[in-house]
Amino acid sequence: MVKMSSGVFVPFPGRERTLVLIGGVWVDPSLWTTKFDCNVELQGCHSMCCYRSNILAPGEKEKIDAHLEGILPYMTPVKRQLLQERGGFVADCRAQCPDGCELNEDEVNAMARAFRLSEDFRCNLIVRSEQAGESMDSCIFLSQNTSGENHCSIHAYAIDAGINWMDIKPVDCIQYPLAVFQEGGKTILAPQTTSFLSHLPCHDSGLGPWMYQSMESTIRFLLGGEFFEALDLYVRENVEPGRLERS
């Protein structure tokens, strides 16, 4: 069972981090030495990261509820019916995953340091494969588009409605695989390590641009455009020419 910890959040257990100070934020250099792209078609991953739900920060339930009528048509019929029968999409993280199947201590602490999670923090409901008739357990909002590709119902609704999807989706979903957190009075930007997701192909496929490039919109959302420009400038001035091609 995952428990909240008062200890230091260590995104890379067992190895010392070497961070670079950029624009007031301490950044892990792996952001410009690791190739990454959260592209379902490129990675052929079938949105596998959505099988384990997410932590809900304070106020996010209410934010999603305000758009729920618009989101419902984008959900699979089984999940839509389940949500309506339950009267909501929120679940007790520990009760639905007593062995820690959806998160580990690092991820909990990353969210806790950023959003002051309560001890009884909640997650989106995980729908078991036998309930949904799907190949894997998944977040209640994971659905399929007309091409048969898995996608997020919240994300799809926001795009069609002309809404910034980052204004609706849970931050835990938006920031993955990054984490922004406070440690020793410092703001740190680094990749998460979540052992339950280490099998995902996007982590080591070598496909896509450098991680900081593919996560540009997320970094801008979390830390602002001015910070991203400083990060981009630092990398371009300090990394050997020719390595930073954009895909």
Side-chain angles (χ1 to χ4, degrees):
M1 180 180 294
V2 175
K3 295 182 179 180
M4 295 280 284
S5 171
S6 59
V8 175
F9 169 57
V10 182
F12 294 95
R15 85 167 174 82
E16 185 177 348
R17 291 193 309 267
T18 300
L19 303 177
V20 178
L21 182 60
I22 303 172
V25 178
W26 291 88
V27 184
D28 190 309
S30 63
L31 267 66
W32 56 84
T33 61
T34 303
K35 294 224 171 183
F36 176 84
D37 197 347
C38 184
N39 182 310
V40 175
E41 295 182 1
L42 176 68
Q43 304 291 353
C45 62
H46 307 293
S47 298
M48 292 169 66
C49 60
C50 296
Y51 86 85
R52 51 56 120 162
S53 181
N54 59 276
I55 299 171
L56 287 166
E60 289 187 330
K61 173 189 179 299
E62 292 74 17
K63 183 170 57 177
I64 295 172
D65 276 340
H67 293 271
L68 201 53
E69 288 302 313
I71 295 169
L72 283 171
Y74 292 84
M75 299 174 65
T76 65
V78 170
K79 290 181 175 178
R80 182 165 59 245
Q81 181 178 350
L82 180 60
L83 183 148
Q84 293 172 327
E85 288 175 352
R86 292 182 78 256
F89 59 88
V90 179
D92 185 319
C93 304
R94 298 177 177 89
Q96 72 175 350
C97 274
D99 296 323
C101 60
E102 53 181 296
L103 38 93
N104 67 8
E105 189 172 358
D106 286 350
E107 185 177 5
V108 174
N109 283 337
M111 288 291 289
R113 288 179 182 273
F115 299 102
R116 297 185 180 181
L117 295 179
S118 62
E119 183 67 26
D120 62 344
F121 63 90
R122 292 293 187 263
C123 293
N124 280 354
L125 177 68
I126 292 178
V127 180
R128 303 303 176 188
S129 57
E130 58 269 21
Q131 290 177 280
E134 299 175 359
S135 60
M136 63 181 182
D137 298 344
S138 58
C139 172
I140 192 167
F141 290 113
L142 187 68
S143 187
Q144 288 189 338
N145 59 23
T146 54
S147 300
E149 289 285 352
N150 289 336
H151 70 158
C152 173
S153 302
I154 302 174
H155 198 134
Y157 155 75
I159 291 175
D160 286 351
I163 301 170
N164 184 348
W165 59 272
M166 292 188 180
D167 289 336
I168 303 177
K169 288 185 73 169
V171 173
D172 194 20
C173 298
I174 294 170
Q175 73 173 355
Y176 183 79
L178 301 179
V180 177
F181 57 96
Q182 301 296 315
E183 182 178 286
K186 299 176 181 178
T187 300
I188 297 175
L189 170 64
Q192 295 182 28
T193 57
T194 304
S195 59
F196 298 110
L197 301 179
S198 60
H199 63 288
L200 300 183
C202 58
H203 286 283
D204 57 10
S205 69
L207 299 174
W210 303 113
M211 181 177 281
Y212 91 94
Q213 293 174 332
S214 68
M215 298 295 290
E216 176 178 350
S217 59
T218 295
I219 295 172
R220 287 180 180 274
F221 177 81
L222 295 172
L223 293 168
E226 186 174 339
F227 167 75
F228 181 83
E229 297 300 332
L231 169 62
D232 188 51
L233 179 62
Y234 172 86
V235 176
R236 292 181 178 280
E237 289 182 343
N238 290 277
V239 177
E240 60 268 27
R243 278 196 52 227
L244 296 177
E245 72 281 0
R246 286 184 179 270
S247 59

